[in-house]
PDB file of all heavy atoms in Angstrom:
ATOM      1  N   SER A 110      -9.865   2.353 -10.280  1.00  0.00           N
ATOM      2  CA  SER A 110      -8.951   1.854 -11.305  1.00  0.00           C
ATOM      3  C   SER A 110      -7.710   1.259 -10.656  1.00  0.00           C
ATOM      4  O   SER A 110      -7.598   1.156  -9.440  1.00  0.00           O
ATOM      5  CB  SER A 110      -8.560   2.990 -12.254  1.00  0.00           C
ATOM      6  OG  SER A 110      -7.833   3.977 -11.541  1.00  0.00           O
ATOM      7  N   GLY A 111      -6.751   0.865 -11.480  1.00  0.00           N
ATOM      8  CA  GLY A 111      -5.491   0.349 -10.984  1.00  0.00           C
ATOM      9  C   GLY A 111      -5.673  -0.869 -10.105  1.00  0.00           C
ATOM     10  O   GLY A 111      -6.494  -1.744 -10.393  1.00  0.00           O
ATOM     11  N   LEU A 112      -4.929  -0.937  -9.002  1.00  0.00           N
ATOM     12  CA  LEU A 112      -5.018  -2.067  -8.096  1.00  0.00           C
ATOM     13  C   LEU A 112      -6.364  -2.128  -7.384  1.00  0.00           C
ATOM     14  O   LEU A 112      -6.720  -3.169  -6.823  1.00  0.00           O
ATOM     15  CB  LEU A 112      -3.885  -1.996  -7.069  1.00  0.00           C
ATOM     16  CG  LEU A 112      -2.467  -2.093  -7.622  1.00  0.00           C
ATOM     17  CD1 LEU A 112      -1.447  -1.981  -6.493  1.00  0.00           C
ATOM     18  CD2 LEU A 112      -2.255  -3.382  -8.393  1.00  0.00           C
ATOM     19  N   LEU A 113      -7.115  -1.023  -7.404  1.00  0.00           N
ATOM     20  CA  LEU A 113      -8.425  -1.013  -6.757  1.00  0.00           C
ATOM     21  C   LEU A 113      -9.490  -1.739  -7.579  1.00  0.00           C
ATOM     22  O   LEU A 113     -10.538  -2.114  -7.042  1.00  0.00           O
ATOM     23  CB  LEU A 113      -8.890   0.427  -6.508  1.00  0.00           C
ATOM     24  CG  LEU A 113      -8.017   1.279  -5.596  1.00  0.00           C
ATOM     25  CD1 LEU A 113      -8.606   2.680  -5.479  1.00  0.00           C
ATOM     26  CD2 LEU A 113      -7.880   0.631  -4.223  1.00  0.00           C
ATOM     27  N   PHE A 114      -9.221  -1.939  -8.875  1.00  0.00           N
ATOM     28  CA  PHE A 114     -10.271  -2.503  -9.724  1.00  0.00           C
ATOM     29  C   PHE A 114     -10.670  -3.914  -9.286  1.00  0.00           C
ATOM     30  O   PHE A 114     -11.851  -4.229  -9.176  1.00  0.00           O
ATOM     31  CB  PHE A 114      -9.834  -2.513 -11.187  1.00  0.00           C
ATOM     32  CG  PHE A 114     -10.896  -3.062 -12.112  1.00  0.00           C
ATOM     33  CD1 PHE A 114     -11.979  -2.289 -12.470  1.00  0.00           C
ATOM     34  CD2 PHE A 114     -10.816  -4.364 -12.597  1.00  0.00           C
ATOM     35  CE1 PHE A 114     -12.968  -2.792 -13.310  1.00  0.00           C
ATOM     36  CE2 PHE A 114     -11.796  -4.875 -13.425  1.00  0.00           C
ATOM     37  CZ  PHE A 114     -12.879  -4.082 -13.783  1.00  0.00           C
ATOM     38  N   SER A 115      -9.691  -4.767  -9.030  1.00  0.00           N
ATOM     39  CA  SER A 115     -10.035  -6.136  -8.649  1.00  0.00           C
ATOM     40  C   SER A 115     -10.715  -6.165  -7.281  1.00  0.00           C
ATOM     41  O   SER A 115     -11.604  -6.983  -7.036  1.00  0.00           O
ATOM     42  CB  SER A 115      -8.784  -7.023  -8.642  1.00  0.00           C
ATOM     43  OG  SER A 115      -7.839  -6.554  -7.701  1.00  0.00           O
ATOM     44  N   ALA A 116     -10.317  -5.273  -6.371  1.00  0.00           N
ATOM     45  CA  ALA A 116     -10.975  -5.196  -5.066  1.00  0.00           C
ATOM     46  C   ALA A 116     -12.414  -4.712  -5.219  1.00  0.00           C
ATOM     47  O   ALA A 116     -13.323  -5.192  -4.528  1.00  0.00           O
ATOM     48  CB  ALA A 116     -10.197  -4.262  -4.141  1.00  0.00           C
ATOM     49  N   PHE A 117     -12.633  -3.768  -6.126  1.00  0.00           N
ATOM     50  CA  PHE A 117     -13.989  -3.292  -6.413  1.00  0.00           C
ATOM     51  C   PHE A 117     -14.838  -4.428  -6.971  1.00  0.00           C
ATOM     52  O   PHE A 117     -16.004  -4.602  -6.588  1.00  0.00           O
ATOM     53  CB  PHE A 117     -13.920  -2.136  -7.409  1.00  0.00           C
ATOM     54  CG  PHE A 117     -15.261  -1.584  -7.823  1.00  0.00           C
ATOM     55  CD1 PHE A 117     -15.862  -0.577  -7.085  1.00  0.00           C
ATOM     56  CD2 PHE A 117     -15.909  -2.060  -8.952  1.00  0.00           C
ATOM     57  CE1 PHE A 117     -17.095  -0.054  -7.465  1.00  0.00           C
ATOM     58  CE2 PHE A 117     -17.137  -1.557  -9.339  1.00  0.00           C
ATOM     59  CZ  PHE A 117     -17.732  -0.554  -8.599  1.00  0.00           C
ATOM     60  N   MET A 118     -14.258  -5.220  -7.857  1.00  0.00           N
ATOM     61  CA  MET A 118     -14.989  -6.353  -8.422  1.00  0.00           C
ATOM     62  C   MET A 118     -15.345  -7.372  -7.341  1.00  0.00           C
ATOM     63  O   MET A 118     -16.444  -7.942  -7.337  1.00  0.00           O
ATOM     64  CB  MET A 118     -14.151  -7.021  -9.512  1.00  0.00           C
ATOM     65  CG  MET A 118     -13.989  -6.187 -10.760  1.00  0.00           C
ATOM     66  SD  MET A 118     -15.548  -5.956 -11.642  1.00  0.00           S
ATOM     67  CE  MET A 118     -15.864  -7.643 -12.161  1.00  0.00           C
ATOM     68  N   ASP A 119     -14.440  -7.615  -6.404  1.00  0.00           N
ATOM     69  CA  ASP A 119     -14.750  -8.523  -5.311  1.00  0.00           C
ATOM     70  C   ASP A 119     -15.871  -7.974  -4.449  1.00  0.00           C
ATOM     71  O   ASP A 119     -16.762  -8.715  -4.015  1.00  0.00           O
ATOM     72  CB  ASP A 119     -13.509  -8.776  -4.461  1.00  0.00           C
ATOM     73  CG  ASP A 119     -12.561  -9.779  -5.095  1.00  0.00           C
ATOM     74  OD1 ASP A 119     -12.975 -10.484  -6.029  1.00  0.00           O
ATOM     75  OD2 ASP A 119     -11.400  -9.861  -4.655  1.00  0.00           O
ATOM     76  N   ALA A 120     -15.855  -6.661  -4.186  1.00  0.00           N
ATOM     77  CA  ALA A 120     -16.934  -6.045  -3.413  1.00  0.00           C
ATOM     78  C   ALA A 120     -18.271  -6.228  -4.123  1.00  0.00           C
ATOM     79  O   ALA A 120     -19.304  -6.509  -3.488  1.00  0.00           O
ATOM     80  CB  ALA A 120     -16.644  -4.562  -3.189  1.00  0.00           C
ATOM     81  N   LEU A 121     -18.262  -6.089  -5.444  1.00  0.00           N
ATOM     82  CA  LEU A 121     -19.489  -6.294  -6.221  1.00  0.00           C
ATOM     83  C   LEU A 121     -19.992  -7.734  -6.070  1.00  0.00           C
ATOM     84  O   LEU A 121     -21.198  -7.968  -5.914  1.00  0.00           O
ATOM     85  CB  LEU A 121     -19.217  -5.951  -7.682  1.00  0.00           C
ATOM     86  CG  LEU A 121     -20.406  -5.984  -8.651  1.00  0.00           C
ATOM     87  CD1 LEU A 121     -20.219  -4.929  -9.737  1.00  0.00           C
ATOM     88  CD2 LEU A 121     -20.583  -7.347  -9.307  1.00  0.00           C
ATOM     89  N   ILE A 122     -19.080  -8.700  -6.087  1.00  0.00           N
ATOM     90  CA  ILE A 122     -19.458 -10.106  -5.908  1.00  0.00           C
ATOM     91  C   ILE A 122     -20.046 -10.329  -4.526  1.00  0.00           C
ATOM     92  O   ILE A 122     -21.065 -11.014  -4.362  1.00  0.00           O
ATOM     93  CB  ILE A 122     -18.240 -11.022  -6.135  1.00  0.00           C
ATOM     94  CG1 ILE A 122     -17.718 -10.894  -7.570  1.00  0.00           C
ATOM     95  CG2 ILE A 122     -18.581 -12.467  -5.804  1.00  0.00           C
ATOM     96  CD1 ILE A 122     -18.705 -11.277  -8.642  1.00  0.00           C
ATOM     97  N   TYR A 123     -19.424  -9.753  -3.487  1.00  0.00           N
ATOM     98  CA  TYR A 123     -19.944  -9.887  -2.127  1.00  0.00           C
ATOM     99  C   TYR A 123     -21.360  -9.313  -2.033  1.00  0.00           C
ATOM    100  O   TYR A 123     -22.259  -9.924  -1.436  1.00  0.00           O
ATOM    101  CB  TYR A 123     -19.066  -9.138  -1.113  1.00  0.00           C
ATOM    102  CG  TYR A 123     -17.613  -9.503  -1.069  1.00  0.00           C
ATOM    103  CD1 TYR A 123     -16.692  -8.641  -0.464  1.00  0.00           C
ATOM    104  CD2 TYR A 123     -17.116 -10.680  -1.612  1.00  0.00           C
ATOM    105  CE1 TYR A 123     -15.348  -8.936  -0.397  1.00  0.00           C
ATOM    106  CE2 TYR A 123     -15.764 -10.988  -1.556  1.00  0.00           C
ATOM    107  CZ  TYR A 123     -14.885 -10.107  -0.958  1.00  0.00           C
ATOM    108  OH  TYR A 123     -13.548 -10.391  -0.906  1.00  0.00           O
TER     109      TYR A 123
END
Side-chain angles (χ1 to χ4, degrees):
S110 64
L112 297 179
L113 299 179
F114 181 77
S115 61
F117 178 88
M118 291 293 294
D119 281 345
L121 185 147
I122 298 299
Y123 304 162

